[in-house]
Amino acid sequence: MPGRSSSSSSSSSTGFISFSGIESALSSLKNFQSCISSGMDTASSVALDLVETQTEVSSEFSMDKAMVELAMMDRELTHYVKAVQSAINHVKEERPEKIPDLKLLVEKKFLALQNKNCDTDLQNNAKFVQFKQQLKELKKQ
């Protein structure tokens, strides 16, 4: 995530840069996003079970908080992946004579995305919205 740098091999004589290591790392990060999604499914299931068994309300609040934290992780990971992909695409399209500092380029793009964050983003996360809807429907029963 932010702060970690991936080395890329470059040859100044040919102006060639290989992104295979970075793309492999991105693939791993994307796989981790499915783990976050599974975590949200699990937290949602636990929260619904707590409501169904009429467990105290504070437990429901904890599950709600867990869902928000997972949504934050998902948003941050999504932004980081977009920042890295954007930096790679920029270098591929521009083909600069001097290869820019990829770490710095990614950090700038990541911060730009993070600066657009707001709490409503989390409330609009598809898994969070589904969770709240299921919770609401269960409480009606």
Side-chain angles (χ1 to χ4, degrees):
M1 300 278 317
R4 291 189 180 172
S5 64
S6 297
S7 61
S8 58
S9 61
S10 66
S11 170
S12 57
S13 61
T14 63
F16 175 76
I17 183 169
S18 173
F19 294 105
S20 62
I22 296 170
E23 289 168 348
S24 175
L26 277 179
S27 179
S28 295
L29 287 175
K30 289 176 186 176
N31 287 337
F32 186 68
Q33 281 184 299
S34 67
C35 294
I36 293 172
S37 179
S38 294
M40 292 182 90
D41 290 340
T42 301
S44 178
S45 178
V46 168
L48 295 174
D49 287 346
L50 290 173
V51 170
E52 201 168 38
T53 59
Q54 299 176 345
T55 305
E56 62 185 79
V57 177
S58 64
S59 297
E60 178 189 327
F61 174 75
S62 295
M63 291 297 108
D64 195 65
K65 186 176 175 184
M67 290 292 286
V68 170
E69 288 177 11
L70 287 164
M72 287 172 60
M73 287 173 43
D74 184 56
R75 177 178 66 185
E76 186 171 336
L77 187 55
T78 298
H79 285 173
Y80 190 71
V81 168
K82 283 181 182 178
V84 172
Q85 288 173 328
S86 177
I88 290 172
N89 290 338
H90 172 76
V91 172
K92 284 180 178 179
E93 290 170 7
E94 297 293 319
R95 296 186 181 267
E97 286 184 32
K98 182 181 176 201
I99 304 299
D101 182 343
L102 290 176
K103 179 181 174 188
L104 183 62
L105 190 57
V106 168
E107 285 175 353
K108 285 181 182 178
K109 292 179 181 296
F110 178 73
L111 286 175
L113 289 169
Q114 290 290 89
N115 286 335
K116 295 177 184 177
N117 288 347
C118 64
D119 288 343
T120 57
D121 294 344
L122 302 174
Q123 304 298 322
N124 293 328
N125 176 288
K127 294 263 185 189
F128 187 75
V129 169
Q130 180 184 10
F131 164 71
K132 293 303 266 183
Q133 185 63 35
Q134 288 175 327
L135 201 57
K136 185 178 174 182
E137 289 172 13
L138 189 59
K139 284 181 178 180
K140 284 181 184 178
Q141 296 173 3

